[in-house]
Amino acid sequence: SQMDMSPELFPPFNRYNPTIPSNEVICFGKAGANVLGISRDRVYHIRKAGVYIKVTEMHEGYGIVNHRALDSVGSAVFYVTSHGLKSVDVQGQLDEIRNINNVIVREWASDLSEVQVAHDPFMNCLFVHNPVSEESYVLWFSTSKTTKVADANFDLVAQGPWPVNWTSIEYGN
């Protein structure tokens, strides 16, 4: 019924229509208690305001290059744009990560649709990987240093669980 408060029931006016209807969100990233929806040309800051969901369009021209080029790190989201590596924090502030922007903008320009980002919380670093050129850059948060890894012939970087004990049972051998 329309009088019940159920999450699957949406009132007719409880929807957000973006200024450009064809500008769909490619991926979402968690930034603290908020969510960032990132499209090809802008960032949508999504947060709860009382009983409502408030969506704010921001950072036009700083959209993401593909759905794998984003990861959440604490209260910020790091992602790759055609302008380089960016981060957006919980309040929506856009910051530029200049360590590898020259590489992204100049050397990886033709491969941006394949670039991937993954955070490793145990190593306290962010991996930015290009499987086409087989290069990775590691941004170390504890030392503020950057490492280039050449001949990184990996197909995918992703965040996920790592087995503590390597056993043959886990891998079917």
Side-chain angles (χ1 to χ4, degrees):
S1 115
Q2 290 185 349
M3 297 300 180
D4 293 335
M5 290 296 290
S6 299
E8 70 274 7
L9 299 175
F10 295 100
F13 297 109
N14 192 11
R15 66 179 63 226
Y16 175 75
N17 294 317
T19 55
I20 302 171
S22 63
N23 192 17
E24 64 184 16
V25 172
I26 295 173
C27 57
F28 293 96
K30 186 177 186 305
N34 302 328
V35 173
L36 298 174
I38 305 180
S39 69
R40 293 259 182 235
D41 77 332
R42 69 189 68 200
V43 177
Y44 297 93
H45 190 251
I46 305 165
R47 65 185 177 278
K48 187 175 179 186
V51 296
Y52 300 103
I53 301 292
K54 182 173 174 130
V55 179
T56 307
E57 289 184 23
M58 54 181 51
H59 310 307
E60 185 175 345
Y62 291 97
I64 196 163
V65 294
N66 70 63
H67 70 283
R68 289 193 175 127
L70 168 140
D71 208 350
S72 297
V73 180
S75 62
V77 171
F78 288 79
Y79 70 102
V80 176
T81 73
S82 58
H83 305 291
L85 184 64
K86 306 295 179 197
S87 73
V88 179
D89 68 7
V90 69
Q91 296 176 350
Q93 179 177 335
L94 180 72
D95 290 318
E96 181 175 25
I97 313 302
R98 296 183 182 146
N99 297 24
I100 63 170
N101 280 354
N102 191 36
V103 173
I104 292 171
V105 172
R106 293 198 174 124
E107 296 176 25
W108 293 1
S110 61
D111 304 331
L112 289 179
S113 63
E114 301 296 324
V115 172
Q116 305 164 11
V117 174
H119 173 240
D120 188 331
F122 297 106
M123 294 174 62
N124 197 23
C125 65
L126 185 75
F127 288 89
V128 182
H129 177 63
N130 183 342
V132 176
S133 67
E134 296 184 347
E135 286 182 333
S136 292
Y137 282 83
V138 185
L139 283 72
W140 302 94
F141 293 121
S142 56
T143 61
S144 299
K145 303 282 184 192
T146 304
T147 302
K148 177 183 177 180
V149 181
D151 298 325
N153 60 347
F154 303 107
D155 294 328
L156 178 70
V157 294
Q159 190 182 67
W162 187 261
V164 176
N165 296 321
W166 294 92
T167 64
S168 59
I169 295 170
E170 292 175 350
Y171 298 99
N173 293 331

